[in-house]
Amino acid sequence: MAGVYAHAEELVSIYGHDLKMVECSAKVAAAYGIVGDADQTLWQVYPELQKPIGRSHVNAVISSGLPRTIAIEPEGRYLLLFRSELGLGVIETPIGNSHYGASDEDPERALLLHQARHDALTGLANRRQFSEDLKTNLPATEGHKIALMQIDLDDFKPVNDTLGHGAGDVVLKTTAERIQALLRKGESAYRLAGDEFAVIQSVNDQPAEAERLAESLVRAFKEPFTIGGINVFVGASVGIAIAPTDGNDGEQLMKAADIALYAAKNDGRGRARMFNRSMMIMLEQREMLRRSLRVALRQRQFFIEYQPIVGVAHGIVGFEALLRWRHPYAGVIPPSLFIPMAENDGLMPEIGAWVLEEACREASTWPSHCIVAVNLSPAQFLEGGFTDRISSILDEVGLPPDRLELEITETVLLERTTENLDMLHTLEVLGIRIGLDDFGTRYSSLSYLQNFPFDTIKIDRHFVKDVESNPRVRTIVRFIIGLAHGLGMQVTAEGVETAGQAEWLGKRKCDRLQGNFLGAPMSAKATGDFLKRRSVTTA
């Protein structure tokens, strides 16, 4: 029976709440002839516990949570019973065993050793045991390779934020169970920290066996977690490194697996990636860009492009300000690449303040009916004194508040709900328009609409691209438009790329359209010519 105790030196076994064995150490398996997934019970392994006194001890430990030591005579053994997250644990030590020292405290010392090496929540071995096991398995040889898998949960944070930490604990415990259910001989699982897990695989036929297990892990997390009757989807990304090919000491192998995990998440998450040298090159390039970000603002490498926002009934109503970065050597860097870097490094408040001031200054030169829409990052929104800075910028450039529309995503609202809603209401009092971006792609959208009266809801391009061909998408888009209008809000559809999409949305009374079909992003200078040249009305 494979599991986290495969390499444990103690005689330790774990039983579920029904007292069927969940897993055991190799020593227990050898001592009691347990083969594979044999369906053993506590009473079969330790029949002496079936006696009335034994059963009373078992029941007392389960009900009270306090460990108990039982001396088994005349065999000369101690059984230390303790309650675990999975049910009941048993640690067996011989009386007078020189490994522990001959004293009545031997079982308690065994329990302390067990607790020091295992995670209390999931029952998996912890980072300390992981480090010891990795060191024991290395260095590997070409004839006997070792695989290390780093496993990270996708979309775990929103579970804690929306359903509470109790729900998060359920996900973590179920994660441990799903991982353990897939393990075979020579494979051990660990919880390293938070939602980070690992597996050490000491089997032949690498990398084929590592790929098999990693794909099984990814598939296992396609199934939802059920929490209080609610289905929650939390995926898993896996990074794989093989010793000795990718490194032959713990630090090298961990770094390689981390890089592979990063690649899995960067490729879209919910997948497994095997480490290769090209990943290292890409990471080094990203680090170069990250370092360059710190001087980009000072050296005026950022610039803004403006994409038209077209009213179905009234033509051009304004532009959205889109941040761009022209690197002196790498050329124009996509925002999807550098904005997450800037957020992680704490640079977005400074960059965002520059964008806001530049966009408002440019908008002050447009006709009085034109608004400017500016995206806000969570870091920028949560920074102290944010509303005061916006007021100062508007006063300085002379732009009326109702010509500024700040676009936020639901990610912003997940951070600190009460304070965020207070901030939104302050902006509303100032007369600034608020738009909810990427509507329907995150959690709890309807509760946000109930708590705050947004001026605009933005339908994500994910829905718009299929609106001509997918009946389900059309139903969703009609629902969003009807919901928004019922709440007195306008609707903007982004990513409009075809005449058919524009016509369909116009007929469903979508208020505003945005996309390359209506106007591609353009320089600040080009906006003036565009406004003079075009007045678009979509029927």
Side-chain angles (χ1 to χ4, degrees):
M1 183 174 292
V4 301
Y5 301 104
H7 304 294
E9 296 181 359
E10 297 91 357
L11 284 157
V12 55
S13 51
I14 303 294
Y15 303 84
H17 296 290
D18 57 0
L19 297 183
K20 289 183 179 179
M21 182 180 287
V22 176
E23 64 172 318
C24 66
S25 67
K27 280 198 168 186
V28 168
Y32 294 96
I34 299 170
V35 180
D37 294 327
D39 193 13
Q40 298 283 331
T41 67
L42 174 71
W43 317 119
Q44 289 171 315
V45 179
Y46 296 110
E48 47 273 291
L49 293 178
Q50 292 189 87
K51 297 176 182 178
I53 186 64
R55 285 183 178 272
S56 68
H57 283 308
V58 169
N59 292 333
V61 170
I62 292 174
S63 61
S64 70
L66 299 175
R68 292 199 176 192
T69 301
I70 303 173
I72 304 297
E73 302 291 353
E75 293 91 339
R77 293 176 295 157
Y78 283 127
L79 296 184
L80 175 64
L81 311 181
F82 63 96
R83 191 167 69 183
S84 76
E85 288 291 334
L86 299 177
L88 181 76
V90 179
I91 297 177
E92 177 182 343
T93 57
I95 295 175
N97 184 352
S98 60
H99 177 71
Y100 294 103
S103 80
D104 290 344
E105 296 178 359
D106 289 346
E108 282 73 12
R109 291 185 61 190
L111 176 60
L112 291 175
L113 282 171
H114 172 84
Q115 292 174 334
R117 293 173 178 169
H118 293 83
D119 173 52
L121 177 65
T122 64
L124 293 179
N126 60 16
R127 182 178 286 275
R128 175 181 176 181
Q129 186 66 52
F130 168 78
S131 298
E132 292 179 5
D133 289 354
L134 193 58
K135 184 177 180 180
T136 299
N137 278 285
L138 297 174
T141 65
E142 286 296 332
H144 185 68
K145 296 182 177 181
I146 300 296
L148 170 61
M149 295 172 213
Q150 296 272 61
I151 306 162
D152 200 58
L153 298 185
D154 304 323
D155 294 319
F156 175 71
K157 185 177 183 298
V159 174
N160 273 336
D161 290 336
T162 58
L163 299 178
H165 290 282
D169 287 348
V170 172
V171 170
L172 293 173
K173 287 191 279 190
T174 308
T175 292
E177 293 169 5
R178 289 186 182 184
I179 294 173
Q180 285 180 298
L182 297 172
L183 299 184
R184 300 177 181 176
K185 184 177 181 181
E187 300 169 348
S188 301
Y190 309 83
R191 183 188 178 200
L192 303 184
D195 61 340
E196 301 172 19
F197 297 80
V199 169
I200 296 175
Q201 187 185 53
S202 178
V203 299
N204 295 324
D205 193 21
Q206 295 292 6
E209 280 298 303
E211 291 174 337
R212 173 200 59 78
L213 178 56
E215 291 300 329
S216 296
L217 288 166
V218 170
R219 282 197 303 273
F221 285 85
K222 300 292 185 185
E223 295 297 319
F225 295 80
T226 302
I227 303 171
I230 300 173
N231 283 343
V232 175
F233 288 89
V234 177
S237 297
V238 184
I240 311 165
I242 308 292
T245 310
D246 302 327
N248 216 7
D249 65 40
E251 185 175 347
Q252 290 175 335
L253 205 60
M254 283 282 288
K255 182 178 180 181
D258 275 336
I259 291 171
L261 176 61
Y262 178 86
K265 286 189 169 289
N266 197 49
D267 287 348
R269 305 189 298 181
R271 62 197 67 211
R273 287 290 179 266
M274 185 79 65
F275 174 79
N276 60 60
R277 296 298 166 186
S278 65
M279 292 178 181
M280 180 72 79
I281 295 170
M282 290 180 63
L283 185 64
E284 289 171 351
Q285 291 174 339
R286 291 180 67 89
E287 287 304 310
M288 180 272 290
L289 290 178
R290 176 172 279 112
R291 291 190 296 270
S292 299
L293 262 175
R294 295 192 174 276
V295 299
L297 187 59
R298 187 170 66 249
Q299 295 184 356
R300 301 187 65 82
Q301 295 172 10
F302 292 118
F303 65 100
I304 300 174
E305 289 188 328
Y306 297 89
Q307 185 166 36
I309 304 170
V310 179
V312 170
H314 306 292
I316 298 169
V317 297
F319 296 84
E320 180 179 1
L322 302 171
L323 177 62
R324 302 287 187 255
W325 178 20
R326 184 179 289 109
H327 190 277
Y329 306 113
V332 177
I333 310 297
S336 59
L337 182 61
F338 74 82
I339 288 180
M341 291 182 186
E343 289 177 335
N344 289 336
D345 288 358
L347 300 175
M348 273 315 295
E350 185 180 1
I351 295 172
W354 176 84
V355 172
L356 192 59
E357 183 172 349
E358 286 292 307
C360 288
R361 196 177 301 280
E362 179 62 28
S364 67
T365 68
W366 301 339
S368 60
H369 71 278
C370 284
I371 67 165
V372 61
V374 180
N375 291 281
L376 294 183
S377 73
Q380 186 181 2
F381 188 81
L382 293 172
E383 192 182 32
F386 175 66
T387 54
D388 292 337
R389 272 192 296 280
I390 290 183
S391 295
S392 298
I393 289 171
L394 293 174
D395 290 341
E396 182 180 342
V397 304
L399 185 72
D402 62 356
R403 290 182 57 196
L404 172 62
E405 182 164 292
L406 298 176
E407 294 187 357
I408 66 170
T409 64
E410 294 171 24
T411 305
V412 170
L413 298 177
L414 283 174
E415 298 295 329
R416 288 201 312 256
T417 303
T418 303
E419 292 88 340
N420 288 351
L421 289 175
D422 289 343
M423 178 90 76
L424 291 175
H425 284 295
T426 301
L427 294 171
E428 181 189 26
V429 170
L430 292 174
I432 295 168
R433 298 172 58 86
I434 305 294
L436 182 59
D437 201 5
D438 300 336
F439 181 78
T441 61
R442 300 282 178 175
Y443 285 79
S444 304
S445 299
L446 297 182
S447 67
Y448 301 145
L449 299 184
Q450 178 184 6
N451 292 325
F452 182 80
F454 293 94
D455 296 284
T456 306
I457 293 176
K458 210 166 189 181
I459 302 175
D460 186 74
R461 63 183 67 247
H462 170 77
F463 297 114
V464 173
K465 71 182 179 67
D466 294 327
V467 79
E468 292 181 88
S469 58
N470 190 322
R472 288 178 176 270
V473 169
R474 289 199 293 267
T475 299
I476 292 171
V477 172
R478 280 195 295 263
F479 165 76
I480 294 174
I481 294 172
L483 174 67
H485 288 168
L487 294 172
M489 304 174 189
Q490 289 190 315
V491 182
T492 300
E494 64 178 350
V496 179
E497 305 292 331
T498 69
Q501 292 169 350
E503 181 181 5
W504 190 93
L505 289 162
K507 287 181 177 179
R508 273 69 189 178
K509 302 190 183 305
C510 183
D511 302 287
R512 308 189 311 193
L513 308 178
Q514 186 180 349
N516 288 339
F517 172 73
L518 301 147
M522 62 190 71
S523 67
K525 183 179 179 181
T527 58
D529 295 336
F530 185 86
L531 286 166
K532 291 176 184 177
R533 189 173 66 251
R534 296 187 59 181
S535 178
V536 179
T537 301
T538 305

